[in-house]
Amino acid sequence: MDEDGACCVSYQDVCELAAISRLSLSESECSSIKDHLNSISRTIDKLSNYDSIEGVDPMVCPLEYGLALRDDSIKVGDCSAQLEKVAPLFEEGLYIVPAVIAKR
């Protein structure tokens, strides 16, 4: 947390997240991302300090749209045999993926 009470992301946090995500970021990119994330955190913290307006319901969208309805119908059948052919590892109907987050 910083002096304003907002969550503070460190340079090391960004580097670790990039490594877990298998992203190759330069030092300047990590620093820039850290600054952006901290700015977002401070903005969210400021917004959370505002009192809500009584009698006003929260909205998903300010415009009144109806839902576009469609028929619920299956368009694709079981394609697991096709997917098994292109999967790097596939055993007993399951896709095997490598672990990317090490236990601490």
Side-chain angles (χ1 to χ4, degrees):
M1 298 274 181
D2 65 6
E3 62 276 353
D4 298 328
C7 182
C8 189
V9 178
S10 71
Y11 178 83
Q12 186 63 32
D13 292 336
V14 174
C15 292
E16 287 178 11
L17 183 59
I20 290 171
S21 303
R22 297 188 179 189
L23 296 174
S24 176
L25 299 177
S26 68
E27 289 182 13
S28 64
E29 288 173 318
C30 284
S31 182
S32 176
I33 290 170
K34 174 189 73 84
D35 293 341
H36 284 294
L37 290 174
N38 285 325
S39 174
I40 291 167
S41 177
R42 284 190 299 276
T43 301
I44 290 171
D45 190 54
K46 286 178 188 176
L47 289 173
S48 67
N49 290 330
Y50 287 107
D51 292 331
S52 62
I53 300 171
E54 290 186 32
V56 177
D57 294 329
M59 298 186 303
V60 174
C61 179
L63 304 175
E64 294 296 325
Y65 287 113
L67 294 176
L69 301 177
R70 61 171 174 75
D71 293 333
D72 273 338
S73 59
I74 298 173
K75 302 212 185 302
V76 178
D78 181 15
C79 58
S80 60
Q82 293 169 319
L83 296 175
E84 182 179 349
K85 292 177 186 176
V86 296
L89 293 171
F90 190 85
E91 293 178 10
E92 299 177 14
L94 301 173
Y95 301 97
I96 311 301
V97 296
V100 292
I101 301 176
K103 292 183 181 178
R104 293 184 183 214

